Amino acid sequence: MSITAKFEKLGVDAAPGQEVRLGAVAGARMIGEPLSGHPVDFSHGDVDAHKPAPGAFEAFEAGVQAGGAQAYTEYRGAMAIRETLAEQLAAFTGAPVDARDRMIVTPGTQGALFLAVATTVARGDKVAIVQPDYFANRKLVDFFEGEMVPVQMHYAEAKSGAGLDLTTLEEAFRAGAKVFLFSNPNNPAGVVYSADEIGRIAALAGRYGATVIVDQLYSRLRYAGYDYTHLRAQKIDADNVVTIMGPSKTESLSGYRLGVAFGAAAVIERMEKLQAIVSLRAPGYCQAVLNTWFAEPEGWMAARIAAHQAIRDDLVALFRDIDGCSVREPGAGSYLFPELPELSIAPGDFVTALREQAGVTVTPGTEFSPHSGRSVRLNFSQDHAASVAAVKRLAVLVERYRV
Amino acid sequence: MSITAKFEKLGVDAAPGQEVRLGAVAGARMIGEPLSGHPVDFSHGDVDAHKPAPGAFEAFEAGVQAGGAQAYTEYRGAMAIRETLAEQLAAFTGAPVDARDRMIVTPGTQGALFLAVATTVARGDKVAIVQPDYFANRKLVDFFEGEMVPVQMHYAEAKSGAGLDLTTLEEAFRAGAKVFLFSNPNNPAGVVYSADEIGRIAALAGRYGATVIVDQLYSRLRYAGYDYTHLRAQKIDADNVVTIMGPSKTESLSGYRLGVAFGAAAVIERMEKLQAIVSLRAPGYCQAVLNTWFAEPEGWMAARIAAHQAIRDDLVALFRDIDGCSVREPGAGSYLFPELPELSIAPGDFVTALREQAGVTVTPGTEFSPHSGRSVRLNFSQDHAASVAAVKRLAVLVERYRV
């Protein structure tokens, strides 16, 4: 494949955060006047509305003061930081973490995902990918010229759990898929996999000798009434699982761009080899911020969860008030993935109209699945009042453009 | 190629900074007692010995205060930062820089190199690579399954310039190489390409329609008596050149991990698409430190150059005092690449003995060229007195192990 052809598949025009590079839509397709209100960018969380836990900046400052020792760490991150973190992650996930040989610090969780896929997927390899799931997953498989085997997640219909089609997943493994990559809680739908689903994924991985890469980025932000099962703590060969996390949107630390991957030693070792030529290491000074992760003051996380649960509840109610709109209540994370009623304009044009006429930025559902054209993703880690007002404006526009 | 085979080619065991992961060498091969002295790690610069310019940390702090706007920038970096930087880089390199469409901010210059190679080299493509040159260059070509066409740089024999074998370079282009990747000043040898060499590279790129990726990371740290020619300011199609720089070792800002690539619009656009799935963006808050780059106080850069020139002169003299050792005086940057006399142990074992017996860490020459087995690379951006003492210990060990 030529470089040009390869990169044409890697479009980022509709990717969250890139709206600034888009031109205006042809005004002719727009109906009615602009709606006034405080603009809300639901394509990512608002770290100004939800501040980081105390101590993050001070930890960074201490890293700068430490000088060369913090600027130049092992490519996989400073050992002292990895050791402290390994204990926290072991307690959180319920299984031991080996700081020396089974953990790597990366530039953001995106960095960890990239390295994990790059080091497990060779050209032509089959990779099971959930639909819908985080948009980069399929792009990574495309980039490494793997063959994506889609596995549907019937989140809307499922009464509990994520609604993963486990029969198709097993078929994918039987057909030769050696890697299964998924996010839990799911991004974009916010649904959490049940203990039964995770147990069956573990059993399938064991039976077929597949590597499972699980992106648990939002697994700390869990709402009342939802249990969470860590795949790595189930009956599964530790060399078959790579878990990815990071202090990001939940903790409002995304500006430091930190991620961590832990699990299969052989994969982690390859990830470090590749990191050496991709970015050398996670930012030296930023790594020091990891010392504050999982070490927030008593009650801080509970308050963060409560604040997000309150926003979630208001937005879910607003979407359910829109005739013909369906949305499943997220069990964890800060994503909401409502399906809108049928509209008179193309979904992409509606997203543009929403941004231009209502100051509301959302991410089109097609970024996450070709079958999610009528859905949009909202990151509701926002100012509470502003996000409620923004979804009300969205509801007005839905009526304007309704078929 | 299997994933395992692919990554076996990507060894990082001898890579700078990874020494901590190496076991001890068999003591039997060692001769004599350890030499005492302050340990010096010449594998990278010492940001404690040469402090960053004032204002870097404060710029970072301002980035954190800016909050969401700085945490979430375009994938290619914040526009306001790119605009300011574009003016500085245009003035420095002598040709206009388009901040909007021809520039990207990356996690370190390593990030820029990775993206530049990934977006210009397809599987099987021929890529001209200088020997010796930065060790990641050939690894990147390997990783993307390109075919490396080596071009020798006869730096030791050259009276001026870098001593690039331009005949071989033209042969490489004639044989179909579409990309030429090189560092100027050269890493590891510290030599600067002459105006004539750069002019001929520009002419060849034009004649054969090749893309030239030039890593100018150390181009600000230039010593008295050496001229520097910016490729992008020569007679060359702007769409055929990508220039890579970064505030790193010269400015002691490497702990912030920032790089920038500017040039060919189509390549930069592909680089951003790929960055979206590799690391999303350069660290949000760290980007703010770019506001201090090329904006150091009057006289700061001159003082930094003078301090490094003094260290360079002392170390070059010490190496020239070793019988059978040759070294070319670096014209820019902080690397020294002496060729040692013939020793009774393998070069890799000497590097280990040096580290274990003398507390002196250097990088083996074979990281940079298969023909540089007798050379070692030193980054002399160190404490002046400690580096002089360390090279004296190195000289003692050379005598111990001399054939």
Side-chain angles (χ1 to χ4, degrees), chain A residues 93-156:
Chain A
T93 62
V97 176
D98 172 353
R100 186 181 189 283
D101 292 324
R102 290 172 167 271
M103 173 186 255
I104 182 170
V105 177
T106 58
T109 48
Q110 185 67 55
L113 268 178
F114 176 81
L115 297 175
V117 173
T119 55
T120 53
V121 177
R123 184 165 67 252
D125 281 357
K126 289 192 174 74
V127 183
I129 294 284
V130 176
Q131 289 184 339
D133 210 335
Y134 179 50
F135 57 87
N137 294 2
R138 70 173 157 79
K139 291 183 185 177
L140 286 167
V141 176
D142 276 349
F143 181 71
F144 290 107
E145 300 176 37
E147 183 189 326
M148 182 179 80
V149 183
V151 179
Q152 298 306 312
M153 188 186 78
H154 305 291
Y155 64 97

Side-chain angles (χ1 to χ4, degrees), chain A residues 96-368:
Chain A
V97 176
D98 172 353
R100 186 181 189 283
D101 292 324
R102 290 172 167 271
M103 173 186 255
I104 182 170
V105 177
T106 58
T109 48
Q110 185 67 55
L113 268 178
F114 176 81
L115 297 175
V117 173
T119 55
T120 53
V121 177
R123 184 165 67 252
D125 281 357
K126 289 192 174 74
V127 183
I129 294 284
V130 176
Q131 289 184 339
D133 210 335
Y134 179 50
F135 57 87
N137 294 2
R138 70 173 157 79
K139 291 183 185 177
L140 286 167
V141 176
D142 276 349
F143 181 71
F144 290 107
E145 300 176 37
E147 183 189 326
M148 182 179 80
V149 183
V151 179
Q152 298 306 312
M153 188 186 78
H154 305 291
Y155 64 97
E157 297 81 8
K159 293 282 177 255
S160 69
L164 187 72
D165 184 338
L166 286 153
T167 308
T168 313
L169 180 61
E170 177 154 14
E171 280 165 14
F173 286 140
R174 203 180 293 129
K178 285 288 171 218
V179 177
F180 174 45
L181 167 60
F182 74 110
S183 59
N184 184 22
N186 174 265
N187 172 355
V191 295
V192 176
Y193 287 75
S194 66
D196 179 59
E197 287 175 313
I198 294 296
R200 289 175 67 184
I201 290 168
L204 289 173
R207 193 173 312 149
Y208 294 96
T211 300
V212 185
I213 302 168
V214 53
D215 169 2
Q216 302 196 170
L217 181 53
Y218 293 93
S219 56
R220 294 187 78 194
L221 196 66
R222 276 142 44 183
Y223 302 117
Y226 290 93
D227 287 331
Y228 189 92
T229 309
H230 291 277
L231 177 67
R232 62 188 306 274
Q234 306 313 299
K235 279 189 193 141
I236 185 166
D237 186 336
D239 287 329
N240 280 351
V241 196
V242 175
T243 305
I244 292 172
M245 290 193 65
S248 178
K249 300 183 175 76
T250 300
E251 300 84 359
S252 298
L253 294 175
S254 34
Y256 293 97
R257 305 278 334 122
L258 289 161
V260 59
F262 46 108
V267 178
I268 300 290
E269 188 181 339
R270 292 200 294 266
M271 287 172 73
E272 180 177 50
K273 283 184 173 187
L274 183 55
Q275 178 146 291
I277 61 167
V278 170
S279 58
L280 269 186
R281 59 178 73 80
Y285 300 141
C286 289
Q287 286 181 34
V289 174
L290 288 171
N291 288 325
T292 67
W293 193 32
F294 283 97
E296 299 86 4
E298 185 80 28
W300 185 89
M301 198 68 201
R304 170 129 310 193
I305 290 171
H308 281 74
Q309 190 162 327
I311 302 170
R312 177 197 69 168
D313 292 346
D314 282 356
L315 300 197
V316 165
L318 285 170
F319 276 107
R320 287 187 175 155
D321 277 349
I322 299 174
D323 194 34
C325 176
S326 65
V327 65
R328 185 144 168 229
E329 180 186 84
S334 57
Y335 289 118
L336 205 58
F337 198 53
E339 187 175 57
L340 303 178
E342 204 178 332
L343 302 174
S344 61
I345 55 174
D349 288 339
F350 181 73
V351 165
T352 306
L354 201 51
R355 192 170 63 243
E356 297 195 1
Q357 294 193 293
V360 177
T361 303
V362 300
T363 306
T366 45
E367 285 287 297
F368 310 96

Side-chain angles (χ1 to χ4, degrees), chain B residues 331-343:
Chain B
S334 56
Y335 288 119
L336 204 58
F337 199 53
E339 187 175 54
L340 304 179
E342 204 178 334
L343 302 174

Side-chain angles (χ1 to χ4, degrees), chain A residues 62-72 285, chain B residues 47-48:
Chain A
V64 173
Q65 308 261 315
Q70 188 61 65
Y72 292 93
Y285 300 141
Chain B
V47 296
D48 302 327

Side-chain angles (χ1 to χ4, degrees), chain B residues 34 76 103-104 150 173 191 233 355 385:
Chain B
R76 64 176 70 193
M103 172 185 255
I104 182 169
F173 286 139
V191 294
R355 190 170 64 244

Side-chain angles (χ1 to χ4, degrees), chain B residues 327-367:
Chain B
V327 65
R328 184 144 168 228
E329 179 186 84
S334 56
Y335 288 119
L336 204 58
F337 199 53
E339 187 175 54
L340 304 179
E342 204 178 334
L343 302 174
S344 60
I345 55 175
D349 288 338
F350 181 73
V351 165
T352 306
L354 202 51
R355 190 170 64 244
E356 298 194 1
Q357 295 192 293
V360 177
T361 302
V362 301
T363 306
T366 45
E367 285 288 297

Side-chain angles (χ1 to χ4, degrees), chain B residues 235-266:
Chain B
K235 277 189 195 143
I236 185 166
D237 187 336
D239 287 329
N240 281 352
V241 195
V242 175
T243 304
I244 291 172
M245 289 193 66
S248 180
K249 298 182 177 75
T250 300
E251 300 83 359
S252 298
L253 294 175
S254 35
Y256 293 98
R257 305 276 335 122
L258 289 161
V260 58
F262 46 108

